[in-house]
């Protein structure tokens, strides 16, 4: 009996250990991570990630353009033509009214002044409904409306209202063009011309010059991040991509082969090259602004580059990564 008891005494510690281990397995199943290493985003890891993402400038896309730009005698008239196009139908109606004697120059300019004052203050139908006061009534009467309800009935959509907001914004431009009424009756013809017709016949082409251009886009400030310890998640904030550099080059040669056309009076001009260089850079800037695909590629490349930089941390820290992109 003594021997048996002695044997049992020797086995009790081992049995207890087995029982505790079994309980631990059960607890481990019920409480995930009980025996696993606790995942912590340490100060050292944070410092390392900050160092990796401390990007002062990252070029993500570069485009090379071969194009040409045109210089005009009166570029301001071509710019005016572009601004007036959304309101062309109203301007044509006014011009025809002046030509037929239905409207006078003075009445049209009075309308423009009223448009400028009223639609400059109330830029949407909603703003009229919310903010119109009795103090605005004389101005509204000058526009030919008895009250705000009559105005809102006439402009039953924000789109139709927006055209007259544009007219109000263009009041100064139209006043300059009108030259005290001399040209206002010709405004209908001006806005109905093709853009190429305005460029050649009214703005007056001086010369067209071929150029090579390079545009670089990317991000120019550090990528930042925030850490959510509870969700074991890191949110990476990617700055908005932007145009970083625009360079143009007009191929130099003695015969000026880069110049496609040039008026005789500019043949011996000493400063045409400086003017042409500025012209080409402006032209390329406008073309890039209209090229939605360019910045889209820049954004995609920036995102992929940042993902590549943080991927080692994603594999080793146990944290998931999400990416947010700033938009301009």
């Amino acid at each position: 009996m003594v021997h048996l008891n002695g044997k049992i005494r020797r086995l009790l510690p081992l049995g207890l250990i087995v029982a505790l281990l079994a309980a631990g397995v059960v607890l481990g199943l019920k409480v995930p991570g009980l025996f696993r290493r606790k995942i912590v985003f340490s100060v050292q890891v944070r410092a390392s990630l900050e160092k990796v993402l401390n990007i002062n400038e990252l070029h993500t896309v570069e485009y090379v353009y071969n194009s040409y730009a045109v210089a005009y005698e009166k570029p301001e008239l071509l710019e005016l033509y572009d601004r007036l196009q959304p309101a062309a139908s109203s301007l044509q109606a006014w011009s025809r009214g002046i030509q037929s004697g239905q409207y006078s120059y003075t009445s049209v300019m009075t309308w423009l002044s009223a448009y400028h004052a009223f639609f400059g203050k109330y830029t949407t139908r909603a703003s009229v409904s919310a903010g119109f006061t009795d103090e605005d009534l004389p101005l509204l009467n000058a526009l030919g409306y008895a009250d705000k309800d009559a105005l809102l009935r006439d402009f039953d959509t924000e789109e139709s209202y927006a055209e007259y907001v544009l007219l109000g914004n263009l009041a100064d431009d139209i006043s300059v063009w009108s030259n005290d009424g001399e040209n206002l009756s010709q405004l209908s013809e001006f806005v109905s011309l093709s853009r190429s017709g305005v460029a050649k016949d009214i703005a007056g082409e001086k010369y067209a010059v071929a150029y090579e251009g390079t545009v670089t886009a990317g991000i120019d400030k550090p990528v930042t991040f925030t850490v959510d310890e509870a969700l074991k998640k890191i949110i990476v904030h990617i700055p908005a991509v932007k145009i970083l550099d625009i360079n143009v080059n007009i191929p130099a040669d003695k015969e000026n082969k880069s110049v496609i056309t040039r008026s005789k009076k500019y043949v011996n001009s000493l400063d045409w090259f400086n003017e042409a260089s500025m012209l080409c850079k402006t032209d390329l800037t406008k073309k890039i602004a209209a090229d939605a695909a360019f910045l889209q590629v820049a954004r995609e490349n920036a995102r992929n580059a940042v993902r590549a930089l943080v991927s080692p941390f994603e594999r080793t820290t146990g944290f998931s990564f999400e990416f947010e992109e700033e938009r301009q």
Side-chain angles (χ1 to χ4, degrees):
M1 290 297 295
V2 174
H3 177 70
L4 180 61
N5 288 337
K7 187 175 182 179
I8 291 174
R9 284 195 296 270
R10 287 195 301 270
L11 291 177
L12 275 177
L14 179 61
L16 182 61
I17 291 172
V18 171
L20 288 174
L21 284 173
V25 170
V26 174
L27 286 172
L29 292 175
K30 292 183 178 180
V31 186
L34 181 65
F35 293 117
R36 286 177 289 176
R37 179 176 59 85
K38 184 179 180 181
I39 299 174
V40 178
F41 195 75
S42 67
V43 174
Q44 292 84 356
V45 174
R46 180 186 292 271
S48 297
L49 186 56
E50 286 175 348
K51 184 176 181 179
V52 166
L53 295 178
N54 186 23
I55 305 167
N56 291 324
E57 188 170 291
L58 176 65
H59 292 191
T60 62
V61 67
E62 181 179 272
Y63 273 14
V64 177
Y65 284 78
N66 291 298
S67 190
Y68 71 92
V70 182
Y72 298 98
E73 296 273 6
K74 299 177 181 178
E76 68 279 2
L77 290 182
L78 192 58
E79 294 169 1
L80 175 61
Y81 171 85
D82 291 337
R83 292 198 301 272
L84 290 178
Q85 280 308 297
S89 59
S90 296
L91 295 173
Q92 288 168 345
W94 284 357
S95 297
R96 289 192 296 268
I98 290 174
Q99 290 171 336
S100 67
Q102 181 182 2
Y103 307 135
S104 68
Y105 164 73
T106 302
S107 64
V108 170
M109 298 312 295
T110 299
W111 289 337
L112 275 175
S113 178
Y115 286 148
H116 186 65
F118 185 84
F119 292 106
K121 180 178 181 180
Y122 296 107
T123 57
T124 64
R125 293 179 78 254
S127 64
V128 176
S129 299
F132 186 85
T133 67
D134 290 339
E135 294 179 358
D136 299 309
L137 194 56
L139 191 57
L140 195 61
N141 295 155
L143 293 172
Y145 295 99
D147 52 39
K148 74 171 184 179
D149 292 331
L151 175 77
L152 295 175
R153 282 194 301 271
D154 201 10
F155 303 106
D156 57 350
T157 65
E158 290 291 359
E159 289 75 14
S160 61
Y161 190 92
E163 182 173 345
Y164 280 78
V165 173
L166 176 63
L167 283 170
N169 292 337
L170 293 172
D172 291 339
D173 291 323
I174 296 171
S175 298
V176 172
W177 166 263
S178 69
N179 192 23
D180 292 331
E182 182 180 342
N183 296 326
L184 194 57
S185 61
Q186 301 171 9
L187 199 55
S188 176
E189 180 181 355
F190 177 66
V191 296
S192 64
L193 287 173
S194 66
R195 194 179 191 278
S196 59
V198 173
K200 292 180 180 179
D201 302 332
I202 298 179
E205 287 188 5
K206 293 198 297 188
Y207 57 82
V209 59
Y211 67 87
E212 300 167 350
T214 304
V215 182
T216 304
I219 56 180
D220 62 352
K221 58 183 179 181
V223 179
T224 60
F225 63 90
T226 53
V227 180
D228 189 325
E229 294 278 4
L231 297 178
K232 298 294 180 281
K233 180 173 67 176
I234 298 172
I235 302 173
V236 180
H237 308 282
I238 304 175
V241 299
K242 59 193 293 188
I243 303 298
L244 299 178
D245 195 24
I246 297 178
N247 287 304
V248 296
N249 175 51
I250 301 174
D253 59 81
K254 295 181 180 180
E255 298 177 359
N256 286 327
K257 291 180 180 179
S258 58
V259 180
I260 299 171
T261 60
R262 186 159 48 153
S263 300
K264 289 183 179 180
K265 65 172 120 178
Y266 292 100
V267 171
N268 297 318
S269 174
L270 297 178
D271 61 353
W272 83 269
F273 187 84
N274 290 334
E275 178 190 62
S277 297
M278 294 179 61
L279 175 72
C280 291
K281 190 166 186 176
T282 300
D283 181 77
L284 183 53
T285 301
K286 290 179 179 179
K287 287 174 179 173
I288 282 294
D291 188 348
F294 177 77
L295 287 181
Q296 179 60 32
V297 171
R299 278 192 289 270
E300 291 174 358
N301 288 351
R303 182 169 59 250
N304 292 336
V306 172
R307 282 181 180 275
L309 289 173
V310 303
S311 60
F313 294 88
E314 193 168 11
R315 290 193 301 268
T316 59
T317 62
F319 279 65
S320 64
F321 279 69
E322 293 182 6
F323 300 85
E324 292 184 354
E325 299 174 33
E326 180 186 349
R327 293 297 180 99
Q328 286 184 324

PDB file of all heavy atoms in Angstrom, residues 85-107:
ATOM      1  N   GLN A  85     -19.022  81.525 -75.069  1.00  0.00           N
ATOM      2  CA  GLN A  85     -19.745  80.446 -75.749  1.00  0.00           C
ATOM      3  C   GLN A  85     -20.921  79.865 -74.959  1.00  0.00           C
ATOM      4  O   GLN A  85     -21.984  79.621 -75.527  1.00  0.00           O
ATOM      5  CB  GLN A  85     -18.772  79.334 -76.167  1.00  0.00           C
ATOM      6  CG  GLN A  85     -18.006  79.647 -77.426  1.00  0.00           C
ATOM      7  CD  GLN A  85     -18.920  80.054 -78.571  1.00  0.00           C
ATOM      8  OE1 GLN A  85     -19.747  79.289 -79.036  1.00  0.00           O
ATOM      9  NE2 GLN A  85     -18.781  81.295 -79.005  1.00  0.00           N
ATOM     10  N   PRO A  86     -20.789  79.632 -73.647  1.00  0.00           N
ATOM     11  CA  PRO A  86     -21.951  79.082 -72.925  1.00  0.00           C
ATOM     12  C   PRO A  86     -23.173  79.999 -72.939  1.00  0.00           C
ATOM     13  O   PRO A  86     -24.289  79.532 -72.713  1.00  0.00           O
ATOM     14  CB  PRO A  86     -21.410  78.898 -71.495  1.00  0.00           C
ATOM     15  CG  PRO A  86     -19.937  78.764 -71.670  1.00  0.00           C
ATOM     16  CD  PRO A  86     -19.590  79.680 -72.799  1.00  0.00           C
ATOM     17  N   ALA A  87     -22.979  81.293 -73.174  1.00  0.00           N
ATOM     18  CA  ALA A  87     -24.101  82.242 -73.201  1.00  0.00           C
ATOM     19  C   ALA A  87     -24.381  82.733 -74.622  1.00  0.00           C
ATOM     20  O   ALA A  87     -25.032  83.756 -74.812  1.00  0.00           O
ATOM     21  CB  ALA A  87     -23.804  83.424 -72.283  1.00  0.00           C
ATOM     22  N   ALA A  88     -23.919  81.992 -75.614  1.00  0.00           N
ATOM     23  CA  ALA A  88     -24.006  82.448 -77.008  1.00  0.00           C
ATOM     24  C   ALA A  88     -25.438  82.705 -77.454  1.00  0.00           C
ATOM     25  O   ALA A  88     -25.720  83.690 -78.139  1.00  0.00           O
ATOM     26  CB  ALA A  88     -23.336  81.423 -77.925  1.00  0.00           C
ATOM     27  N   SER A  89     -26.385  81.846 -77.072  1.00  0.00           N
ATOM     28  CA  SER A  89     -27.766  82.000 -77.541  1.00  0.00           C
ATOM     29  C   SER A  89     -28.387  83.300 -77.048  1.00  0.00           C
ATOM     30  O   SER A  89     -29.074  84.007 -77.800  1.00  0.00           O
ATOM     31  CB  SER A  89     -28.615  80.809 -77.093  1.00  0.00           C
ATOM     32  OG  SER A  89     -28.619  80.695 -75.679  1.00  0.00           O
ATOM     33  N   SER A  90     -28.146  83.673 -75.794  1.00  0.00           N
ATOM     34  CA  SER A  90     -28.684  84.930 -75.253  1.00  0.00           C
ATOM     35  C   SER A  90     -28.034  86.131 -75.930  1.00  0.00           C
ATOM     36  O   SER A  90     -28.714  87.109 -76.269  1.00  0.00           O
ATOM     37  CB  SER A  90     -28.446  84.994 -73.741  1.00  0.00           C
ATOM     38  OG  SER A  90     -29.148  83.967 -73.077  1.00  0.00           O
ATOM     39  N   LEU A  91     -26.729  86.061 -76.141  1.00  0.00           N
ATOM     40  CA  LEU A  91     -26.019  87.173 -76.772  1.00  0.00           C
ATOM     41  C   LEU A  91     -26.472  87.364 -78.225  1.00  0.00           C
ATOM     42  O   LEU A  91     -26.608  88.490 -78.701  1.00  0.00           O
ATOM     43  CB  LEU A  91     -24.514  86.924 -76.715  1.00  0.00           C
ATOM     44  CG  LEU A  91     -23.907  86.891 -75.311  1.00  0.00           C
ATOM     45  CD1 LEU A  91     -22.448  86.467 -75.373  1.00  0.00           C
ATOM     46  CD2 LEU A  91     -24.036  88.239 -74.628  1.00  0.00           C
ATOM     47  N   GLN A  92     -26.725  86.268 -78.912  1.00  0.00           N
ATOM     48  CA  GLN A  92     -27.213  86.368 -80.279  1.00  0.00           C
ATOM     49  C   GLN A  92     -28.600  87.019 -80.312  1.00  0.00           C
ATOM     50  O   GLN A  92     -28.893  87.842 -81.189  1.00  0.00           O
ATOM     51  CB  GLN A  92     -27.249  84.983 -80.928  1.00  0.00           C
ATOM     52  CG  GLN A  92     -25.872  84.436 -81.242  1.00  0.00           C
ATOM     53  CD  GLN A  92     -25.900  82.973 -81.611  1.00  0.00           C
ATOM     54  OE1 GLN A  92     -26.884  82.283 -81.380  1.00  0.00           O
ATOM     55  NE2 GLN A  92     -24.804  82.483 -82.185  1.00  0.00           N
ATOM     56  N   ALA A  93     -29.465  86.664 -79.355  1.00  0.00           N
ATOM     57  CA  ALA A  93     -30.807  87.257 -79.294  1.00  0.00           C
ATOM     58  C   ALA A  93     -30.722  88.756 -79.043  1.00  0.00           C
ATOM     59  O   ALA A  93     -31.447  89.552 -79.654  1.00  0.00           O
ATOM     60  CB  ALA A  93     -31.616  86.567 -78.195  1.00  0.00           C
ATOM     61  N   TRP A  94     -29.830  89.169 -78.149  1.00  0.00           N
ATOM     62  CA  TRP A  94     -29.660  90.597 -77.895  1.00  0.00           C
ATOM     63  C   TRP A  94     -29.143  91.326 -79.127  1.00  0.00           C
ATOM     64  O   TRP A  94     -29.625  92.410 -79.468  1.00  0.00           O
ATOM     65  CB  TRP A  94     -28.674  90.796 -76.741  1.00  0.00           C
ATOM     66  CG  TRP A  94     -29.270  90.497 -75.395  1.00  0.00           C
ATOM     67  CD1 TRP A  94     -30.560  90.142 -75.125  1.00  0.00           C
ATOM     68  CD2 TRP A  94     -28.585  90.518 -74.161  1.00  0.00           C
ATOM     69  NE1 TRP A  94     -30.731  89.935 -73.794  1.00  0.00           N
ATOM     70  CE2 TRP A  94     -29.542  90.160 -73.166  1.00  0.00           C
ATOM     71  CE3 TRP A  94     -27.295  90.783 -73.761  1.00  0.00           C
ATOM     72  CZ2 TRP A  94     -29.218  90.087 -71.820  1.00  0.00           C
ATOM     73  CZ3 TRP A  94     -26.967  90.711 -72.421  1.00  0.00           C
ATOM     74  CH2 TRP A  94     -27.917  90.365 -71.458  1.00  0.00           C
ATOM     75  N   SER A  95     -28.164  90.722 -79.776  1.00  0.00           N
ATOM     76  CA  SER A  95     -27.594  91.371 -80.954  1.00  0.00           C
ATOM     77  C   SER A  95     -28.635  91.536 -82.053  1.00  0.00           C
ATOM     78  O   SER A  95     -28.729  92.583 -82.695  1.00  0.00           O
ATOM     79  CB  SER A  95     -26.412  90.551 -81.484  1.00  0.00           C
ATOM     80  OG  SER A  95     -25.384  90.499 -80.525  1.00  0.00           O
ATOM     81  N   ARG A  96     -29.432  90.503 -82.263  1.00  0.00           N
ATOM     82  CA  ARG A  96     -30.484  90.602 -83.275  1.00  0.00           C
ATOM     83  C   ARG A  96     -31.506  91.657 -82.882  1.00  0.00           C
ATOM     84  O   ARG A  96     -32.033  92.385 -83.736  1.00  0.00           O
ATOM     85  CB  ARG A  96     -31.162  89.244 -83.459  1.00  0.00           C
ATOM     86  CG  ARG A  96     -30.286  88.208 -84.170  1.00  0.00           C
ATOM     87  CD  ARG A  96     -31.102  86.992 -84.590  1.00  0.00           C
ATOM     88  NE  ARG A  96     -31.644  86.268 -83.437  1.00  0.00           N
ATOM     89  CZ  ARG A  96     -31.015  85.252 -82.846  1.00  0.00           C
ATOM     90  NH1 ARG A  96     -29.826  84.860 -83.289  1.00  0.00           N
ATOM     91  NH2 ARG A  96     -31.577  84.642 -81.820  1.00  0.00           N
ATOM     92  N   GLY A  97     -31.784  91.750 -81.580  1.00  0.00           N
ATOM     93  CA  GLY A  97     -32.732  92.768 -81.117  1.00  0.00           C
ATOM     94  C   GLY A  97     -32.222  94.173 -81.370  1.00  0.00           C
ATOM     95  O   GLY A  97     -32.988  95.070 -81.728  1.00  0.00           O
ATOM     96  N   ILE A  98     -30.934  94.373 -81.191  1.00  0.00           N
ATOM     97  CA  ILE A  98     -30.342  95.692 -81.452  1.00  0.00           C
ATOM     98  C   ILE A  98     -30.389  96.009 -82.942  1.00  0.00           C
ATOM     99  O   ILE A  98     -30.736  97.116 -83.355  1.00  0.00           O
ATOM    100  CB  ILE A  98     -28.892  95.741 -80.919  1.00  0.00           C
ATOM    101  CG1 ILE A  98     -28.889  95.722 -79.392  1.00  0.00           C
ATOM    102  CG2 ILE A  98     -28.165  96.983 -81.429  1.00  0.00           C
ATOM    103  CD1 ILE A  98     -27.512  95.631 -78.786  1.00  0.00           C
ATOM    104  N   GLN A  99     -30.054  95.015 -83.767  1.00  0.00           N
ATOM    105  CA  GLN A  99     -30.050  95.220 -85.209  1.00  0.00           C
ATOM    106  C   GLN A  99     -31.447  95.542 -85.741  1.00  0.00           C
ATOM    107  O   GLN A  99     -31.606  96.337 -86.666  1.00  0.00           O
ATOM    108  CB  GLN A  99     -29.489  93.975 -85.917  1.00  0.00           C
ATOM    109  CG  GLN A  99     -27.990  93.785 -85.698  1.00  0.00           C
ATOM    110  CD  GLN A  99     -27.498  92.447 -86.222  1.00  0.00           C
ATOM    111  OE1 GLN A  99     -28.259  91.499 -86.340  1.00  0.00           O
ATOM    112  NE2 GLN A  99     -26.208  92.388 -86.544  1.00  0.00           N
ATOM    113  N   SER A 100     -32.461  94.933 -85.145  1.00  0.00           N
ATOM    114  CA  SER A 100     -33.838  95.168 -85.601  1.00  0.00           C
ATOM    115  C   SER A 100     -34.468  96.400 -84.976  1.00  0.00           C
ATOM    116  O   SER A 100     -35.563  96.808 -85.366  1.00  0.00           O
ATOM    117  CB  SER A 100     -34.695  93.942 -85.279  1.00  0.00           C
ATOM    118  OG  SER A 100     -34.842  93.793 -83.861  1.00  0.00           O
ATOM    119  N   GLY A 101     -33.791  96.993 -84.016  1.00  0.00           N
ATOM    120  CA  GLY A 101     -34.348  98.160 -83.341  1.00  0.00           C
ATOM    121  C   GLY A 101     -35.226  97.813 -82.159  1.00  0.00           C
ATOM    122  O   GLY A 101     -35.795  98.700 -81.513  1.00  0.00           O
ATOM    123  N   GLN A 102     -35.363  96.530 -81.854  1.00  0.00           N
ATOM    124  CA  GLN A 102     -36.196  96.111 -80.730  1.00  0.00           C
ATOM    125  C   GLN A 102     -35.583  96.553 -79.401  1.00  0.00           C
ATOM    126  O   GLN A 102     -36.301  96.923 -78.471  1.00  0.00           O
ATOM    127  CB  GLN A 102     -36.367  94.589 -80.756  1.00  0.00           C
ATOM    128  CG  GLN A 102     -37.243  94.038 -79.633  1.00  0.00           C
ATOM    129  CD  GLN A 102     -37.348  92.528 -79.681  1.00  0.00           C
ATOM    130  OE1 GLN A 102     -36.735  91.873 -80.546  1.00  0.00           O
ATOM    131  NE2 GLN A 102     -38.112  91.950 -78.764  1.00  0.00           N
ATOM    132  N   TYR A 103     -34.243  96.483 -79.319  1.00  0.00           N
ATOM    133  CA  TYR A 103     -33.533  96.899 -78.120  1.00  0.00           C
ATOM    134  C   TYR A 103     -32.591  98.043 -78.468  1.00  0.00           C
ATOM    135  O   TYR A 103     -32.102  98.147 -79.589  1.00  0.00           O
ATOM    136  CB  TYR A 103     -32.687  95.758 -77.530  1.00  0.00           C
ATOM    137  CG  TYR A 103     -33.411  94.474 -77.270  1.00  0.00           C
ATOM    138  CD1 TYR A 103     -32.843  93.254 -77.638  1.00  0.00           C
ATOM    139  CD2 TYR A 103     -34.654  94.456 -76.653  1.00  0.00           C
ATOM    140  CE1 TYR A 103     -33.483  92.058 -77.404  1.00  0.00           C
ATOM    141  CE2 TYR A 103     -35.308  93.261 -76.412  1.00  0.00           C
ATOM    142  CZ  TYR A 103     -34.729  92.072 -76.798  1.00  0.00           C
ATOM    143  OH  TYR A 103     -35.376  90.887 -76.571  1.00  0.00           O
ATOM    144  N   SER A 104     -32.347  98.868 -77.479  1.00  0.00           N
ATOM    145  CA  SER A 104     -31.328  99.900 -77.649  1.00  0.00           C
ATOM    146  C   SER A 104     -30.054  99.447 -76.949  1.00  0.00           C
ATOM    147  O   SER A 104     -30.086  98.581 -76.064  1.00  0.00           O
ATOM    148  CB  SER A 104     -31.795 101.226 -77.047  1.00  0.00           C
ATOM    149  OG  SER A 104     -31.879 101.119 -75.627  1.00  0.00           O
ATOM    150  N   TYR A 105     -28.942 100.044 -77.337  1.00  0.00           N
ATOM    151  CA  TYR A 105     -27.667  99.727 -76.695  1.00  0.00           C
ATOM    152  C   TYR A 105     -27.746 100.021 -75.205  1.00  0.00           C
ATOM    153  O   TYR A 105     -27.303  99.242 -74.364  1.00  0.00           O
ATOM    154  CB  TYR A 105     -26.549 100.530 -77.345  1.00  0.00           C
ATOM    155  CG  TYR A 105     -25.282 100.567 -76.515  1.00  0.00           C
ATOM    156  CD1 TYR A 105     -24.475  99.444 -76.410  1.00  0.00           C
ATOM    157  CD2 TYR A 105     -24.917 101.720 -75.822  1.00  0.00           C
ATOM    158  CE1 TYR A 105     -23.325  99.477 -75.643  1.00  0.00           C
ATOM    159  CE2 TYR A 105     -23.774 101.750 -75.051  1.00  0.00           C
ATOM    160  CZ  TYR A 105     -22.985 100.624 -74.964  1.00  0.00           C
ATOM    161  OH  TYR A 105     -21.855 100.653 -74.206  1.00  0.00           O
ATOM    162  N   THR A 106     -28.393 101.148 -74.860  1.00  0.00           N
ATOM    163  CA  THR A 106     -28.481 101.557 -73.453  1.00  0.00           C
ATOM    164  C   THR A 106     -29.255 100.528 -72.631  1.00  0.00           C
ATOM    165  O   THR A 106     -28.864 100.191 -71.508  1.00  0.00           O
ATOM    166  CB  THR A 106     -29.157 102.930 -73.342  1.00  0.00           C
ATOM    167  OG1 THR A 106     -28.419 103.886 -74.097  1.00  0.00           O
ATOM    168  CG2 THR A 106     -29.228 103.372 -71.884  1.00  0.00           C
ATOM    169  N   SER A 107     -30.358 100.035 -73.200  1.00  0.00           N
ATOM    170  CA  SER A 107     -31.162  99.060 -72.452  1.00  0.00           C
ATOM    171  C   SER A 107     -30.390  97.761 -72.224  1.00  0.00           C
ATOM    172  O   SER A 107     -30.458  97.162 -71.150  1.00  0.00           O
ATOM    173  CB  SER A 107     -32.470  98.770 -73.181  1.00  0.00           C
ATOM    174  OG  SER A 107     -32.226  98.145 -74.432  1.00  0.00           O
TER     175      SER A 107
END
